[in-house]
Every structure is written in C-alpha cells, then in structure tokens.
Amino acid sequence: MAERVLQGVAAAPGLALGPAWVHRGDAPGPSASAAGDPAAERRRFQEAVAAVDRDLERLQAGADPQAREILGAHRLMLADPELHNRVEAGIARGLGAEAAVQEATEELAALLAGLEDPYLRERAADVRDVGRRLVAALTGRAVGLRLEAPAVVVARDLAPTDTIGVDRRLLLGIVTEQGGPTSHTAILARSWGIPAVVGVPGLLEQVQDGMTLAVDGETGTVVLEPAPETARQLEERLQAQAEARAREQAEAGLPAETPDGRRVELAGNAKVPGDVAAAVERGAEAIGLLRSEFLFMGRSAPPDEEEQYQAYAEALRLAGGRRVIIRTLDIGGDKGIPYLGLPREENPFLGVRALRLCFRRPDLFQTQLRALLRAGVHGRLAVMFPMVSTLDDLRQARAALEEARAALAAAGVPHAPAPEVGIMIEVPSAALIAHRLAQEVDFFSIGTNDLVQYTLAVDRGHPELTSLYQPIHPAVLRLIDEVVRAAHGAGKWVGVCGEMAGDPLGALLLLGLGVDELSMAPPALPKVRRLIRAVPFREAEALARQALACGTAEEVETLARPMLERLAVESG
Amino acid sequence: MVERTFTLTHAAGLHARPAALLVQTVQRFPGTEVLVRKGDREVSARSLLSVLSLGASQGDTITVRCEGPQEEEAMAAIARLVEGGFDG
C-alpha cells in the first residue's frame, strides 16, 4: 500500500514512528440494550458504580494533585443521590441499566450546560465522562487509554480522564482529528515531551489499528504506511533525535558555570502552565517568564479568579519548588481581545497597554493579583510587572498588589503574603532610572524584544526594517550595562527574558555584561548551557567592555563572532 | 430545624471545588437533612450535581436549612466552611 501524507497542526515537537492504536472512547455504546427485570438491572447498575469507583480510586492514588481533585469530583458525581434517583426511575420505566445511565447523565449534563457561569457549564463534560465510564463498565468495555505495547495513539480528541493513568513509556506519539495547539491534548503532550499533531481532517476514516504511522511534531505531518525509503530516513532522524536527547539529558543537570567559576541561572520562558514541565525537563533552574496572556486570549469573557488561580497553581506545582516569575497581563490595543472593548489606537505600542491598561481596569487587575497571591501558596511565586516606564508606575502597581493582599488577608483566604516582586525593563526610560527603581524591587528582568524596539525606534514586525532590528546594537548593550550596574549596586539580581538570551551571540554578550539569569524558550537551554560552560567569564567580560565602545552592531558582531566560532557551540 | 443565609464572597461561588467541599462536609452528618436554596430552587446538599446546578456565583445569596439530630453541628460546620472562603 502506498504511503499517504496527512497534514495537521504541529502541537508538540519530536518525531514518532510506530503502530497506530485507535482510541474510540467516544464511540456510542449499545443504547437500547435488552432490559432484564428491574431488580437485575438495578443490581447491574450498583455493581457498575462500585467497579468505576474502584477504578477512579486507583487512578487517584497515582495522579498529580490537580488530577486527583478532578477524579475526586467524579467520584462524588458517581455517588450522587440525584444521579441514582434518575437512573432508578429509568429502570423502573423498563429501561436497561445502560440506557438509564445514558439518559440520566445526559439530562444532568444538559442542566449544567444551560447555566450562565461558563466554568459550571464545562462541568457538563465531567458528568458525561462519568456516564461513559458507567456504560463502559456495564458493557465490559475499557475506558481511558490502556496501551499494551508502544503505540501512536489516534483519537478524535482526548479528554483529561482518557490520559490519566496511561503508561507514558508506551505512548510514542499522539494524533487527533480535532483540537488546536492549546487543546488539552497539545498541552499535555508538550509537558510530557511526546510528539503530537492535532487537527488532522479525515484522520479516523483513514487510520486503522496497527497501521504504521510516522508523526512529525515539528511540521504537523502524519505519514500513513511510510514507504521503505521514507521509513529508513525517519529511523535515521529518530536515531539522531535519541542521541541528541540523551546528550541533553546528561547535560541538563550540569550547572551553567563558566570554567572560571561564574554561575548564571538558566531559566525557561513559558506561554502556558504545561510549558513549565518541558522547561524543567531541559534543565531549567527556574521559570524566568510565564506570560499570563494565554488565559485571556481566544475566548469571549475574561477568566475569573478561580480559573486564573488554578492555572497559576498548576504552573507553580509543575515547577516543583523552582521560582516561577509570572508576568501580569501584557496586552494592548494591538492584540485581539474583543471582550475588553479596547479602542483602536494610532500607535498601540506607545498606547494604553500592559500596566497602563491594568490601572484603567482595576477589576481585571485585582482579579489577577488576587489569583496570583492565592496560587503563591503552591510554590515559589515571583510577580513581575511589564511596561514600567516611571517610578510612579512601579509604586502604583505595588499599591495594587498590596490592596489585593490586604483584601485576601481580611477575608482569611490563604495566600502568599510576600512574593518576590520585580519589573520588566523594556522601556529606555526605565533603564535610565534603574538606579532608583532598583531600590523598590527585588529583581529586574530585561525584556530585550521591546527594549530593542523602543531604543532603536524599529517595529520588530516591520517587513522592510528587519535589518535595523539589532539586539546587539551598542545602544542596547549600553542600556543593559546601565541596568546591571544599577541592580548590583542595590544588591538586586537582574535577568534577561527576551529572545536575545537564547541566542548564543546575545547570551555571550549578556554573560559578559554581568547578567545573573538568562530565561529563554526551553529548546535553547542546552545550547546556551554548553556555551556558558565553555567560555571563561573574564573573556566574555572583556568582550562586552569592547562591545560597549563600538559604534555599530556590525562592529560588535565582528568582535564576538570569532569567539563563538572558537568555542564551536553555535551549531550544537 | 435551623436555617441560615450566606452571601458567597468566594470568587468561585459554588464551583466544583467549593461545592465538593460542601457535599463532603454534609456527609459527616448522615442522619441530618441539609437543603440549599438559591432563588426559588432548593436542592439536597448531598448531591454535588444538584448543588452545581444552582449556578451560584460570587455575590449570590444562598439559604441553608438543616433538620435532624445533628442540625446545629451541621450548620456550624457549613458556616465555618462558607465563611472561611472554602479554604478546605
């Protein structure tokens, strides 16, 4: 059979090759089962409830705290008197146990689905999940992923309970017909480091159990029954991937320390809580930037305090005691968040964005700050404010945080009373008064992406100006130097969380300028770690001093490039 | 019979976790009937699904009724839970 290629959306990087295992957890059960006498059907129902409860209890024992809570709620639903009354009424009307369960859970789900509160509406899915498990127990079918051999899982979509309890060692890859890059499946696959492609149209029609699949989580392609030549190439790539991963894992535990003893903290940037696990796996010692925007995008109303609390708490738990710097809302008129009703601005990057927006919307800001402080009890939280341009911005933001703290304390709600508080340095004015700002924060994190754009007056996304967007321009380096000196003069630490930190040339210069922490997209961590472990700090420092005296970015590059080549770390 | 009215100050109202804590609290008093009312709907506090179906959010007022041998103890436990912000 000839190979076929399907295209989906890349959801989690990596390559997988193996037999397909088609998960039909959502296939309809036998709805019109022949009913026995009511007493027998009631007994079957009671036995199924007991069996599912044992299953859930067993899953709970091995689950992480969040999953344990979901499973606990499912067990309460399973024992719910309202569910039992409705099922028994159905049986009394002559229905079989399966049909009675389906009818009762569907009615209860519909009741929740009709509520105004979007969070409560989603609980309808939990009721249906419990119903599916009951019907499966009644018909002797398995629910959840029960892999017996290594396989690529193929499904319409995966529900959270499908994936709890699955043996990760057998899960080679995941392909789903539905879902996007922020679906549950995608987030889970990224956090587990399992290649995944989602949103593949026509998938279930074309794949059968046991068919060989190749999944490329970088490009989003899925090859069905790859031809021998394709399979050989894939195996070579898999081999290279395994070797690279083994080397990275061996190095992930090594400290980012130069041969002459200068220690730098290597941290990961995260867009969603699930990214935290990926960063930790690649040896991140902290999360230097968790953007909170993910919670606000792609929806019709802002997330409430509880939803935000759950998301921040998940990130803190995944970090396992490492510091997680969570940045407060950093959006403005250029981002499509229709429900905030932001006016279009002539110049959104100089307009009402980030803190400026939060100060005008205390409802949004207080909700976020309260959720952050509450989540702080689950790990080592640091709060970071974006887009500070004046001392007054910082003071107003700190006052808002204090207001949230005082309200939680007055209500007796558990919270972290004094998390570390820092600010992004991304506006030149903040860099130039860093000596004053440093007295009122615990740390700085330099956001080079915006700092470069504001310093050089170049729109980062402008197609005609890409050559003028120069992170290593001496003007930028001089501002960074100013910020590092100011922080260290006040006994505070300073990090960098822009893309420059994950680029070898940028990282080399930042190391030389005395930056204490570099935070980057997790895939860049191994490369930067190797660089830092190879370059003597005094050489990097001497290089940085020379760079500060340069007049153009080209001169800086000419100085620095030979050192990188000598260290031969760039290609690795 | 004892009856008390509470205003939900907890941000999540009666979302899954607070509602589950309420049900679990009530389960400690097996012989006592506990009902929760919001508006014109009253449901058993032993049923998580029924409590969720009230759709009670932050700022809403709920009325709790307890009747049975441990009605006072049950109400005291519920009051501690609700007024403590469901800090289970």
Side-chain angles (χ1 to χ4, degrees), chain B residues 41-54:
Chain B
R41 281 196 64 215
E42 186 168 56
V43 301
S44 164
R46 288 183 198 287
S47 163
L48 176 64
L49 291 165
S50 302
V51 173
L52 290 174
S53 74
L54 288 176

Side-chain angles (χ1 to χ4, degrees), chain A residues 280-465:
Chain A
V280 168
E281 234 160 68
R282 288 190 143 113
E285 299 166 82
I287 298 302
L289 169 65
L290 171 61
R291 301 169 175 92
S292 57
E293 290 79 64
F294 74 93
L295 276 164
F296 294 82
M297 317 280 276
R299 54 192 300 155
S300 55
D304 67 11
E305 181 180 321
E306 187 65 18
E307 184 180 347
Q308 293 192 51
Y309 160 75
Q310 295 290 354
Y312 305 145
E314 184 196 354
L316 286 160
R317 281 192 292 250
L318 287 171
R322 296 168 183 83
R323 182 201 290 123
V324 179
I325 301 179
I326 304 182
R327 183 175 71 187
T328 62
L329 191 55
D330 185 15
I331 51 166
D334 59 319
K335 294 234 176 86
I337 303 204
Y339 59 82
L340 291 181
L342 304 176
R344 277 191 63 84
E345 293 180 302
E346 285 283 312
N347 213 335
F349 280 96
L350 304 180
V352 178
R353 56 183 301 112
L355 270 190
R356 297 168 183 174
L357 172 68
C358 289
F359 292 155
R360 282 165 179 75
R361 295 290 302 271
D363 52 329
L364 275 181
F365 201 27
Q366 283 299 313
T367 302
Q368 179 168 45
L369 294 174
R370 286 168 54 97
L372 282 169
L373 290 172
R374 283 177 55 203
V377 302
H378 297 287
R380 189 169 163 207
L381 168 73
V383 177
M384 178 158 74
F385 299 115
M387 199 58 194
V388 167
S389 54
T390 66
L391 200 50
D392 193 53
D393 281 344
L394 168 58
R395 289 178 179 161
Q396 209 177 327
R398 290 207 73 132
L401 186 64
E402 171 55 23
E403 183 187 334
R405 188 206 60 77
L408 291 171
V413 179
H415 62 281
E420 278 187 274
V421 175
I423 57 173
M424 298 275 292
I425 301 283
E426 51 195 337
V427 182
S429 63
L432 293 166
I433 57 163
H435 60 295
R436 292 298 308 275
L437 293 166
Q439 292 166 11
E440 301 183 27
V441 296
D442 297 312
F443 66 90
F444 288 147
S445 185
I446 303 173
T448 48
N449 298 355
D450 274 339
L451 185 64
V452 171
Q453 137 161 311
Y454 289 132
T455 302
L456 300 174
V458 175
D459 176 350
R460 188 149 66 105
H462 198 301
E464 288 188 32
L465 300 180

